[in-house]
Amino acid sequence: QVRLVESGGGLVQPGGSLRLSCVASGSFFSINSMGWYRQAPGKERELVASITSHHITTYGDSVKGRFTISRDNAKNTIYLQMNNLKFEDTAVYYCTAEFWPEDGGLAEDWGQGTQVTVSA
């Protein structure tokens, strides 16, 4: 299985920036896509951004032009550069990975989440 560890969350003022990281480790054959979701209190979990092993990216409409996802395949790590943060970006950000285990079919795992709070 895959263990996902997120880091980089914190408190930032509106208009500020943060960079999240997510490192995947464990026993697996390969990782397909990785991505970030977020969940604010009282709201459903939503896609922030995802990236395939070939670096094809997808973004949620609310973050396009402000957030950038990138990936280092050699390190099994993804990053989320978040610029021009807004109050509504406040949420717990979860890393996810779709991967091929050493045996069995395609699987998915989630990290524990990292809190991002945008506040004046």
Side-chain angles (χ1 to χ4, degrees), residues 4-15:
L4 301 170
V5 179
E6 303 106 331
S7 61
L11 176 65
V12 64
Q13 292 184 341

Side-chain angles (χ1 to χ4, degrees), residues 11 13 32 38 52 76 79 100:
L11 176 65
Q13 292 184 341
N32 282 2
R38 68 186 183 186
T52 71
N76 290 322
Y79 307 94
W100 290 101

Side-chain angles (χ1 to χ4, degrees), residues 41-107:
K43 295 188 177 181
E44 294 186 354
R45 192 171 293 190
E46 63 173 355
L47 172 70
V48 177
S50 66
I51 186 167
T52 71
S53 58
H54 298 290
H55 302 277
I56 297 171
T57 58
T58 301
Y59 292 93
D61 288 340
S62 62
V63 306
K64 286 179 181 177
R66 300 188 297 122
F67 291 10
T68 302
I69 190 170
S70 59
R71 177 170 177 166
D72 185 335
N73 286 335
K75 296 181 179 179
N76 290 322
T77 299
I78 61 170
Y79 307 94
L80 184 69
Q81 179 65 43
M82 305 186 292
N83 297 329
N84 189 23
L85 283 159
K86 303 176 180 181
F87 292 119
E88 53 264 39
D89 294 317
T90 296
V92 178
Y93 285 68
Y94 296 92
C95 177
T96 183
E98 184 183 68
F99 65 98
W100 290 101
E102 292 179 336
D103 54 24
L106 197 61

